[in-house]
Amino acid sequence: MDLKIIYFDMPFWRAEVARLSLFMANIDFDDVRITGDDNKFLKEHGKLKDGTSIPFRQLPVLVIDGQSVAQSGGIARICGKLSGMYPEDMVEAGKVDQIIDTVTDMNVMLNLSMRENDPIIKKQMRADLTNTDLPRYFGYLEEIIDANSSHWFVGDTVTVADIAVWSFLGWIAQGVLDDIPPEVIQPFVGLRKVYNELGEHPLVGQWKKKTYSHDESSSDEYNYDIPDRI
Ligand SMILES: N[C@@H](CCC(=O)N[C@@H](CS)C(=O)NCC(=O)O)C(=O)O
């Protein structure tokens, strides 16, 4: 099977959930990282310069044997099935989906503030995220972990749900989002355990070493490393 994951050159959860699950399962894939120029082209034409279809003109896109599939959730499910990190049981699978969709919801909340140009409104949005929205969602996620008998989100092994949360938390924990302090995660012991246990997996370490920026001073909201532990 020929697999290609197309995304920007950054370790954002939408792509990482696919890239890392395949990497951890030792499944070969082409890790295509496009430039700003490629992005302009795909916005205009709905495809890359090599003809690869980008259905909604957004990324990530997974290309399987020449067929493009868009949308982070669907891509996570396919990569999870390929890598053995997505349950076969319908209910367990739904429990993984609900986590991925919640990461999407949190991402969308953050996006609103990222698109805000007025600095005062943006600061207020970030304060609301820090004081209310993120802790509320982190609390719901924590309740789900607490209700499971293992310390993972679903079942007793790592699923793509854990990878999505790990990657999303890493983005927050790196402190690259102005006015969202990494400390917002600190009260959530169960979430930190998922993060730290997964981050200590040797294959995750290998993946980070191979692909993450190691510029500690970077304050780019998109180009960042993530901490080993939180
Ligand atoms: N609904 C899509 C959203 C994907 C998305 O927002 N991708 C962003 C990058 S993280 C993107 O392509 N942004 C460029 C744009 O929309 O112009 C999904 O779930 O994958």
Side-chain angles (χ1 to χ4, degrees), residues 9 23 34 79 92 137 150:
D9 186 15
F23 179 79
I34 68 156
C79 293
E92 298 282 287
Y137 274 93
S150 79

Side-chain angles (χ1 to χ4, degrees), residues 7-8 10 12-15 34 39 42-43 54 56-61 70-75 104 107-108 111 115 222:
Y7 195 65
F8 306 97
M10 58 188 197
F12 205 53
W13 75 271
R14 291 182 183 282
I34 68 156
N39 191 37
L42 78 82
K43 285 261 168 266
I54 308 293
F56 301 103
R57 290 154 168 81
Q58 284 186 319
L59 298 174
V61 161
Q71 299 290 7
S72 309
I75 293 172
T104 300
N107 192 161
V108 169
N111 277 351
R115 291 203 200 104
Y222 290 113

Side-chain angles (χ1 to χ4, degrees), residues 177-198:
L177 292 164
D178 290 343
D179 301 310
I180 300 195
E183 290 74 29
V184 68
I185 306 167
Q186 279 308 302
F188 303 96
V189 176
L191 284 182
R192 284 168 44 218
K193 196 165 164 67
V194 168
Y195 186 92
N196 293 335
E197 295 265 328
L198 192 52

Side-chain angles (χ1 to χ4, degrees), residues 90-104:
M90 193 170 59
V91 176
E92 298 282 287
K95 287 182 178 181
V96 169
D97 293 347
Q98 69 174 357
I99 303 298
I100 303 227
D101 289 349
T102 298
V103 174
T104 300

